[in-house]
Amino acid sequence: MSQVLHPEIQSAFTDLLTQLLQDKTQSPDLSENAEWISQLLKNKRIYNAYYDLAEEIYDASAFQCEQLPYFHQTQLYHILQQGRQAIYLPCPNNLSEFEQPVDSEIEIEKNTVHTDVETRQSDFNQKTELLSLVLDYQLESAVSHEQSLDPQMLATNLQVVLNSAPNKDAPNVSTDIIETVKKMPYFQIPNARVGQIYQAKIQMQHPMQQPVYICADRIEISDDLGLYFNQDMQQLQGTPLQAGEFKLNFQYKINQEQVDWQQGEVTFIVTPDPRSLWQINEPDANEPYQKSHSDSEYIQAENFKIAASSQRGRSHEHAGSFRDDDFLIRQIDNSDWAILIVADGAGSADFSRRGSQLAVQSMGQILLDDLKQRQAHLDQLIAGWQVAEVDQQLQALGQQLQDLFYQAALTAVEAIEHEAHEQQVDVKKFSTTLLAAIVKQQPERTLISSFWIGDGAIAVYSPDKIRLMGKPDGGEFAGQTRFLSRQVVNQFSAHVNIGYFQDCQAILLMTDGISDPRFETDAGLNNLQKWQQLWQEIQPKLQHEKPDQALLEWSKFFSAGHHDDRTLAVLWQDSLQKKVDENDDQKSSELNVHDKPLRG
């Protein structure tokens, strides 16, 4: 166990001590006490109290802690990993040498009836003497083997003394008790978790740390536990089937050459699978804006296919709340044009499930109606667009698509504002992200224009390249995200992008319920290998007869710390391995239309 505090833990510990010692009536200046604080940092007893506090916090809220996506980066986790500090105590001659008796919380037997006061006093004195001897022996053993004083072993041995009957005719009772204590070894084995492959050895911790040889036929393991003892490897192996605390009785030798077997016992703890801790609760039937827990849709066009799915997250299941995500996918009739939209309602907003629904439906309808009207004109502009050349037609195309998104986003904002007005509540109660893509999927080229407000991702995927059609839109503070609002629409051009690609294998839109566990950070979104891994997972699902249902089942994957709603929309071509013309010299171009003027 580490005896040196990790610098980050020492910093946190110092901050705590500084706060505790600060004079609240004065300016926070403790420079004159720096040496004192430095001494406190070196005091292992004080640090262990600090560690105990962290452990108590974890014990009281382990479930909530484990659900935090950043739990492994918290100081609480680091302190728990640091562990306690070993304390090597001197061996005293009697208990009076300690400032406080170690066994102060042990209650000497009160229920033994003695009519003779002197006998009762003698019994008390005898047990006090024995307790002192046992403590002396424990301390001597710990120091000689450079170990910390084991509280569990000490408690066990002291209990031997307390349970012993007084015997005035046995002058060597002290020796007998100590010999009994010496014969009580203490064993440990690492904890296991239900459903995870396990293998570990039972090791003696007292009177010294060492492995022991155990007979596989002489260890008691319940058949229901799912484990067995491997004689050759001297390990407990298997996959635990149930959680709990189990006593494993066994017979062992210090080495194989030893003749006699000795009896041992170890406490084996199996923690539950975190997934088993999740509850599935239904929302209140009287809540407004009832919403299904999942949804999916599949569109098969001539040159492409679209599948989308949305699944209520485990955090919502556990809390008994609704799915906040939503989506919309459409194909313009008899054309190569398509619309994909996903939205993630803010978890802190009471009616965000309705906000995301209004956003995708309002925007989707405007985009659908306007694309039908502008389709012929847009097709002419695309036909005249020379790849890798930014000419007037390209500029006109970008302006057309930007205007289209502007009107659609403004309509979505107005729909949410109208709903808030009708309900006489703050419009922020309907807060939602909004990610949308307009796509024209030609046999050899893919045109995409995107609109991106909030977290999640929009990406154009090819086997050797990933292109993000924007970036996650953070809020004012770290960990926040921006939501659709009239203010955002007034700064609209910064959120629209357009690209024209010859090597597009798929277009993907997703909420952060998928992007967070798969990419972890905003920087991770640029990692091609992570996108390749994601594609390897979902590509087989797209081959199913009902790919939207296959995606829905896939989206139920378990990822510790990531339990939000999960929504994914994918557009791909019939031939998933589209050949790229090697002589085309990667003739693709992207245009960002950030600096174009907006209508309205």
Side-chain angles (χ1 to χ4, degrees), residues 234-344:
Q234 285 290 294
Q235 287 184 336
L236 190 64
Q237 297 181 348
T239 302
L241 300 177
Q242 57 179 302
E245 183 175 304
F246 306 92
K247 296 292 185 182
L248 304 182
N249 294 302
F250 56 90
Q251 291 188 358
Y252 71 96
K253 298 178 181 179
I254 300 301
N255 54 65
Q256 295 189 47
E257 289 72 28
Q258 185 177 345
V259 177
D260 297 329
W261 291 94
Q262 300 181 56
Q263 189 67 35
E265 180 185 81
V266 67
T267 299
F268 178 51
I269 297 175
V270 182
T271 60
D273 183 338
R275 284 169 284 193
S276 67
L277 301 176
W278 290 99
Q279 301 174 14
I280 299 179
N281 297 310
E282 293 300 318
D284 188 338
N286 297 316
E287 283 288 317
Y289 306 123
Q290 297 282 315
K291 197 173 193 178
S292 63
H293 298 332
S294 63
D295 192 13
S296 67
E297 189 174 352
Y298 173 51
I299 296 174
Q300 182 170 356
E302 181 178 354
N303 293 323
F304 61 86
K305 299 177 181 179
I306 312 176
S309 68
S310 183
Q311 175 64 44
R312 182 172 74 149
R314 288 184 176 85
S315 59
H316 290 257
E317 288 181 345
H318 192 79
S321 56
F322 291 99
R323 172 173 57 96
D324 288 330
D325 280 11
D326 221 305
F327 74 87
L328 179 143
I329 55 174
R330 294 288 187 272
Q331 177 199 9
I332 309 303
D333 295 340
N334 303 315
S335 75
D336 292 332
W337 289 91
I339 300 167
L340 295 85
I341 309 175
V342 301
D344 178 6

Side-chain angles (χ1 to χ4, degrees), residues 394-395 398-399 402 493-494 496-498 591-596:
L394 176 59
Q395 297 290 342
Q399 188 64 55
Q402 182 177 253
S493 60
V496 177
N497 289 272
I498 182 172
L591 171 67
N592 188 301
V593 290
H594 287 183
D595 57 351
K596 296 295 179 291

Side-chain angles (χ1 to χ4, degrees), residues 46-59:
I46 293 178
Y47 169 76
N48 284 344
Y50 177 56
Y51 172 84
D52 290 343
L53 172 62
E55 196 169 52
E56 288 292 334
I57 292 173
Y58 181 78
D59 287 345

Side-chain angles (χ1 to χ4, degrees), residues 459-462 503-508 535 542 570-573 576:
V460 177
Y461 174 79
S462 60
D503 56 350
C504 170
Q505 190 165 351
I507 292 173
L508 302 96
W535 183 250
L542 303 178
V570 184
L571 182 149
W572 75 103
Q573 296 194 61
L576 291 174

Side-chain angles (χ1 to χ4, degrees), residues 369-516:
D369 293 343
D370 279 10
L371 275 176
K372 287 180 179 179
Q373 295 178 8
R374 305 187 191 202
Q375 177 186 339
H377 180 52
L378 291 174
D379 285 343
Q380 289 179 354
L381 292 175
I382 293 173
W385 182 0
Q386 299 298 317
V387 175
E389 293 181 6
V390 181
D391 55 14
Q392 292 182 350
Q393 288 177 316
L394 176 59
Q395 297 290 342
L397 177 63
Q399 188 64 55
Q400 288 277 329
L401 293 172
Q402 182 177 253
D403 290 348
L404 222 171
F405 271 129
Y406 175 78
Q407 291 299 328
L410 184 60
T411 301
V413 170
E414 291 173 344
I416 291 175
E417 289 177 343
H418 177 74
E419 188 76 13
H421 178 74
E422 289 290 312
Q423 299 297 323
Q424 296 184 343
V425 297
D426 190 337
V427 69
K428 291 184 178 179
K429 289 184 178 293
F430 295 85
S431 294
T432 181
T433 67
L434 189 59
L435 288 77
I438 298 172
V439 181
K440 180 175 176 61
Q441 184 58 69
Q442 300 168 288
E444 298 297 331
R445 292 288 188 273
T446 302
L447 173 80
I448 175 174
S449 182
S450 65
F451 171 72
W452 186 337
I453 294 292
D455 46 24
I458 306 176
V460 177
Y461 174 79
S462 60
D464 58 354
K465 187 180 295 185
I466 186 69
R467 302 176 181 89
L468 293 181
M469 297 303 296
K471 61 182 180 178
D473 195 6
E476 182 179 356
F477 302 102
Q480 290 187 333
T481 189
R482 195 179 302 277
F483 298 110
L484 180 68
S485 66
R486 187 172 289 273
Q487 180 183 8
V488 169
V489 172
N490 289 336
Q491 302 170 349
F492 186 80
S493 60
H495 303 282
V496 177
N497 289 272
I498 182 172
Y500 198 28
F501 309 105
Q502 63 150 5
D503 56 350
C504 170
Q505 190 165 351
I507 292 173
L508 302 96
L509 285 74
M510 64 190 71
T511 60
D512 66 340
I514 290 178
S515 63
D516 281 356

